Amino acid sequence: MESILTTIKKQIGIDESDPFFDSQIIVGINMAISVLNQIGIGPLNGFMLINGAETWNDYIPDLETSPRFIHVQSYIYCQT
């Protein structure tokens, strides 16, 4: 499964091999994940991207199969 950072970079329009904005993008992703965590989406103990290698499956294991989480990727993209 693709990393969260790679997915968001593609949606933003940044080449996945370009690391220049990674730290800023990771901050945006982590803020969106924090908001989702506050409304009960994601692991109970929270979740945070550390190095950008974290995958969607690491964040929410049933993200692709559960209708409850269908808009999580879109929300994180829009907030980032």
Side-chain angles (χ1 to χ4, degrees):
M1 177 166 274
E2 190 170 65
S3 79
I4 297 169
L5 178 61
T6 298
T7 301
I8 300 303
K9 283 173 73 170
K10 286 179 183 178
Q11 291 174 329
I12 292 173
I14 298 175
D15 187 273
E16 63 185 272
S17 64
D18 182 357
F20 191 75
F21 295 105
D22 284 4
S23 60
Q24 292 89 345
I25 296 168
I26 288 172
V27 168
I29 292 169
N30 283 335
M31 291 302 298
I33 288 173
S34 175
V35 170
L36 289 171
N37 185 255
Q38 290 175 21
I39 60 172
I41 297 173
L44 291 176
N45 295 331
F47 186 84
M48 186 169 86
L49 269 68
I50 304 294
N51 59 18
E54 297 82 3
T55 67
W56 292 103
N57 198 44
D58 294 333
Y59 176 44
I60 301 176
D62 55 345
L63 181 71
E64 292 184 332
T65 58
S66 176
R68 177 176 177 219
F69 303 118
I70 194 166
H71 299 292
V72 167
Q73 287 183 351
S74 297
Y75 176 80
I76 293 172
Y77 156 67
C78 289
Q79 291 301 310
T80 302

